[in-house]
Amino acid sequence: MHEDLQKLMALQALDLEAKKLRDEMAALPKHVADLDTKAKAIAGQRAVVLDLIAKEEALRRRQESDVKDQQAKVAKGKQKIGNAINTVQVTAFEHEIAFAEKEISRLEEAELESMMRSEELDAQKTVADKALTAAESTHKSERERAIATIAADKIAVAAVDVQRTAQRATIGEDALSLYDRIAKAKGTGIAEALNQKCTACQMMLRPQRWNDIRERDHTEMTTCESCGRLLYYDPARDSPQRKTVTPERTESIAAQIVRGL
């Protein structure tokens, strides 16, 4: 293994840890904002339900008032009948009473329908109350967790960055430049070669390249021909059944002639 490859492996582990911490710090505020948006949306839905409940209550108050007005007309009509001087007046007053009683029935039926709607709205309000309480509680707890996590992540990132700086100082300039270029393009600069594959892109390695990487005295910087990442090999992780691949060799024409004699 190249003398800088092991150092680059350690550097990549630090780079990935720093990236994970920074990604978490970037994601948490969005997560909290999404929870806040959700809680506000539930509050908005609850407000609609409350408005509908208030409208139904106002409607019933008007209906109750109208019923009383019609009941007063019925009572007044009955008094008029008692004072009527002929059948024509009696018939007219009876029509007024019948109309008022019919209107009372209509209003009472409408009032009953309103009460049924209010019962449904009250059930919706109960659900909305519970949902809003849960959403606000989740938002509050997640916000507190995010604040604590981000504070801890900032400290952790600072510590990792110190280690990264120290590690980079131990690596050769050419190897470090190569790693930085690959990592910038691919996200990672190094991948393990395992079972004749690059574990990053899962592409097979040519037999000769696989054999070269497996050689104990191999000190070259070897890259994956597919993704371009630097490759390393760990004998402890290799499949015990996998044997060194022997590349096929094409017999020369001269050898074929000699073998045929």
Side-chain angles (χ1 to χ4, degrees):
M1 182 182 290
H2 190 282
E3 61 181 357
D4 282 330
L5 193 54
Q6 192 76 31
K7 298 175 183 177
L8 287 172
M9 290 165 59
L11 175 62
Q12 178 164 282
L14 292 170
D15 286 345
L16 291 175
E17 178 63 17
K19 182 180 183 302
K20 184 188 77 171
L21 292 168
R22 289 191 170 93
D23 287 348
E24 184 175 52
M25 286 192 292
L28 282 173
K30 182 180 182 302
H31 172 61
V32 172
D34 288 344
L35 291 174
D36 183 46
T37 300
K38 180 180 178 180
K40 288 178 178 177
I42 294 173
Q45 294 170 357
R46 179 178 178 275
V48 171
V49 173
L50 291 175
D51 182 61
L52 291 173
I53 289 174
K55 287 180 178 179
E56 290 295 338
E57 290 175 348
L59 174 61
R60 284 199 300 279
R61 285 195 295 270
R62 290 196 301 272
Q63 290 168 338
E64 289 170 358
S65 176
D66 291 343
V67 167
K68 289 179 181 179
D69 290 341
Q70 295 301 324
Q71 288 173 340
K73 288 182 180 180
V74 169
K76 188 175 181 181
K78 290 179 178 179
Q79 288 178 354
K80 288 180 179 179
I81 289 176
N83 298 325
I85 59 177
N86 54 52
T87 57
V88 174
Q89 290 181 338
V90 170
T91 301
F93 294 148
E94 285 177 344
H95 285 166
E96 289 180 4
I97 292 171
F99 178 82
E101 288 177 339
K102 183 178 180 181
E103 185 64 12
I104 289 171
S105 296
R106 186 191 69 79
L107 288 169
E108 288 177 342
E109 184 176 349
E111 186 177 359
L112 181 60
E113 291 174 353
S114 175
M115 291 175 65
M116 293 174 64
R117 288 194 298 270
S118 290
E119 287 180 1
E120 294 178 359
L121 289 170
D122 286 338
Q124 293 178 27
K125 177 181 175 296
T126 299
V127 173
D129 287 344
K130 291 180 180 179
L132 181 58
T133 299
E136 289 177 341
S137 176
T138 299
H139 173 252
K140 180 181 178 182
S141 62
E142 285 297 290
R143 181 175 179 275
E144 292 172 352
R145 184 183 72 84
I147 292 173
T149 301
I150 290 173
D153 284 351
K154 285 181 179 179
I155 296 173
V157 166
V160 172
D161 283 343
V162 170
Q163 296 178 60
R164 289 175 63 243
T165 300
Q167 184 68 14
R168 290 176 67 88
T170 67
I171 303 170
E173 184 177 343
D174 291 342
L176 188 59
S177 176
L178 177 61
Y179 167 81
D180 287 340
R181 177 175 58 80
I182 298 171
K184 183 177 180 180
K186 302 292 183 178
T188 54
I190 301 175
E192 183 180 7
L194 182 65
N195 294 335
Q196 208 177 335
K197 287 182 181 180
C198 167
T199 56
C201 68
Q202 297 301 311
M203 293 300 292
M204 295 294 294
L205 304 178
R206 287 189 297 109
Q208 186 59 55
R209 178 156 295 206
W210 172 243
N211 289 339
D212 288 343
I213 293 174
R214 287 164 54 91
E215 292 293 332
R216 290 189 176 183
D217 57 352
H218 179 70
T219 58
E220 299 291 331
M221 281 282 198
T222 304
T223 58
C224 173
E225 293 175 307
S226 176
C227 67
R229 291 179 176 85
L230 292 165
L231 296 173
Y232 71 91
Y233 171 71
D234 182 1
R237 282 174 46 78
D238 195 12
S239 295
Q241 297 87 356
R242 183 171 295 278
K243 298 180 180 179
T244 300
V245 178
T246 303
E248 295 182 1
R249 295 187 179 183
T250 303
E251 190 176 32
S252 67
I253 295 176
Q256 293 177 14
I257 295 174
V258 172
R259 182 167 52 80
L261 293 178

